[in-house]
Amino acid sequence: MPAAGAHMGRGETGPYQRVTDLLGGPRVFKRPVVTQLDAHNAIKTGLPGGALYHLVTHLRVLKPASIESAVGMSVRTYQRRKGAPDKPLSPEQGGRTWKLAEILAQASEVFGSQEEAEQWLERPAIGLDDNRPLDLLDTPAGVEMVEDYLGRMASGVYT
């Protein structure tokens, strides 16, 4: 893996490749996102609304209504905004959209497919006190719980 701040060569994928792919890849992101600072800057300047639109239209199991609280936007607002894909999301909405894509990418790796990951997000998890992971994504503390749980699962520790 390259040092922090280093850029990847053609054909290489960094830790943000799957996340940016879930959000529309180069069609949405004008600059490549290969470092944490790149991600921060993309969110801070406002992810294009097309990133959320791409994520929602490529969900396999989850419905737009089920991710409302995770991204901080009602379905009605999302529907109004999808006609303006270049209009940037607020930094809060962009950050939450990015985090949802990041967790979906991580869960897809743990479970082997995006479909399985989405199903997991909707099911109560014993390791999360029978909360659905998706329901915990509306606060930083809940996001941390889900990320920690996924990390334990990836390491083979289920409790």
Side-chain angles (χ1 to χ4, degrees), residues 18 55-63 113-115 118:
R18 180 74 177 125
L55 177 65
V56 169
T57 58
H58 288 82
L59 292 173
R60 298 182 178 139
V61 174
L62 297 173
K63 303 292 179 233
S113 75
Q114 181 176 326
E115 188 172 324
E118 290 180 36

Side-chain angles (χ1 to χ4, degrees), residues 52 55-56 59 62-79 92-93 96-97 100 122 132 134-135 137-139:
L52 177 58
L55 177 65
V56 169
L59 292 173
L62 297 173
K63 303 292 179 233
S66 64
I67 66 166
E68 273 186 335
S69 64
V71 298
M73 182 184 294
S74 70
V75 170
R76 186 174 165 96
T77 299
Y78 163 75
Q79 289 171 337
E92 181 181 347
Q93 290 168 337
R96 290 170 74 165
T97 298
L100 176 59
E122 287 200 310
R132 295 181 334 148
L134 194 58
D135 294 338
L137 300 182
D138 59 351
T139 69

Side-chain angles (χ1 to χ4, degrees), residues 42-43 45-50 73 81 84-91 93-94:
I43 294 164
T45 59
L47 288 183
M73 182 184 294
R81 291 195 49 148
D86 292 331
K87 183 178 179 185
L89 299 173
S90 71
Q93 290 168 337

Side-chain angles (χ1 to χ4, degrees), residues 125-131 145:
I126 293 170
L128 297 171
D129 291 333
D130 285 324
N131 287 289
M145 289 172 56

Side-chain angles (χ1 to χ4, degrees), residues 20 23-31 47-52 54 85-86:
T20 57
L23 297 173
R27 289 182 308 278
V28 170
F29 292 90
K30 305 303 179 224
R31 296 180 179 173
L47 288 183
L52 177 58
H54 189 274
D86 292 331

